[in-house]
Amino acid sequence: MKILNKKNNQITFSADIDTGLANAIRRYIDQIPILAVDEVEISKNDSPLYDETIAHRIGLVPLKMDKTISEKSEEQLTLIAKNDGIIYSGELKGRVEPVYDKIPITILKKGQELEILATARVGKGSQHVKFSPGLMFYRNLIKVKIDKDCPKEIVNACPKELLKSEGGKIAIIEEEKCDMCEECLEFCKKAGKKAVELTPSGELAITVESFGQISEEEIFKRAIEVLKDDLKEVTKKVGK
Ligand code: SF4
């Protein structure tokens, strides 16, 4: 396993696992218990948006999950606003906080008011997307084999600029970025050469992106834990 890329809320790593298992882990991301606003009481709404629209927007605001949150947790948040302008998620106040402060909820004009009591509960992404902590996708890593008599003009054929001419030979840099677009093969075909070979390396490049409630590393780890727990249950039942 090797980290290929890590940036804000996203990690990409290589892993020697089969696509069936990777897909099971991907699907189990929506089985991780996550906190989100589940019920909203709106006592005042002078804004131009319907109550239902505001409730929907608040439901989709990711909330920070700390160690004290359990599957039975219930947290209250209030939003009381009478300022002129856009009302952002950061104005939701309670023991738990939104991950991002700048998600627009609605807009108020001078003299207008908004009063909301929201109840957050723990659920799973399979029930509703508001409980989803993130997403995962993967692709095969490719081995690029280049013959020594490969024409040097091939460097211009790769849209990702991964092919370089070094000491009269063509080499690939950052092979893990190759997405098998086959432009280099097309070039060779036109040039009447068989100078490049592309084969799956057997490893996957897995990308996990977090919506902020828990980290991307935690998403991958917890999806595996929940999957393992379910498999244990199945084994128990089958063994009976
Ligand atoms: S398959 Fe596409 S991305 Fe990969 S080396 Fe060839 S041209 Fe570049």
Side-chain angles (χ1 to χ4, degrees), residues 11-12 28 52 83 93 117 132 146 208 218 231-232 235:
I11 189 166
T12 303
Y28 263 76
E52 292 83 350
N83 40 318
K93 304 290 176 207
L117 174 66
S132 183
I146 305 164
V208 183
E218 191 79 348
L231 288 175
K232 261 189 223 154
T235 313

Side-chain angles (χ1 to χ4, degrees), residues 32-202:
I32 301 171
I34 291 292
L35 186 74
V37 169
D38 197 35
E39 207 176 304
V40 169
E41 278 176 53
I42 302 181
S43 46
K44 251 186 215 170
N45 175 18
D46 299 326
S47 84
L49 295 188
Y50 292 122
D51 290 1
E52 292 83 350
T53 312
I54 292 180
H56 183 245
R57 294 182 77 90
I58 290 178
L60 291 173
V61 170
L63 300 175
K64 287 182 190 167
M65 295 265 297
D66 62 27
K67 298 245 179 308
T68 64
I69 305 288
S70 72
E71 291 199 26
K72 294 203 163 56
S73 291
E74 208 172 275
E75 298 287 339
Q76 305 284 329
L77 293 115
T78 54
L79 194 164
I80 298 171
K82 46 174 110 174
N83 40 318
D84 185 12
I86 296 175
I87 308 302
Y88 291 102
S89 51
E91 295 188 46
L92 279 162
K93 304 290 176 207
R95 201 189 68 81
V96 291
E97 291 172 3
V99 177
Y100 306 104
D101 284 348
K102 287 285 175 202
I103 300 174
I105 305 290
T106 186
I107 190 164
L108 293 180
K109 282 201 168 163
K110 206 169 166 224
Q112 293 185 328
E113 293 182 45
L114 185 65
E115 272 188 33
I116 294 170
L117 174 66
T119 306
R121 297 192 182 97
V122 173
K124 293 174 181 173
S126 55
Q127 298 168 274
H128 192 287
V129 73
K130 67 185 176 185
F131 297 115
S132 183
L135 48 88
M136 169 177 149
F137 53 92
Y138 52 84
R139 62 178 172 84
N140 284 311
L141 282 171
I142 306 297
K143 274 249 155 275
V144 183
K145 208 172 138 211
I146 305 164
D147 265 18
K148 50 182 182 319
D149 65 339
C150 182
K152 63 179 185 327
E153 293 76 21
I154 200 169
V155 296
N156 302 319
C158 178
K160 296 199 155 209
E161 299 180 359
L162 303 179
L163 302 173
K164 294 272 177 256
S165 175
E166 281 172 357
K169 279 194 201 158
I170 302 298
I172 178 142
I173 51 157
E174 300 184 288
E175 194 177 35
E176 68 279 3
K177 289 191 178 163
C178 173
D179 60 3
M180 215 173 179
C181 71
E182 298 190 356
E183 289 294 327
C184 50
L185 293 186
E186 270 306 301
F187 172 88
C188 287
K189 209 165 138 193
K190 280 185 197 145
K193 299 238 173 203
K194 241 186 146 194
V196 178
E197 215 180 291
L198 304 172
T199 44
S201 74

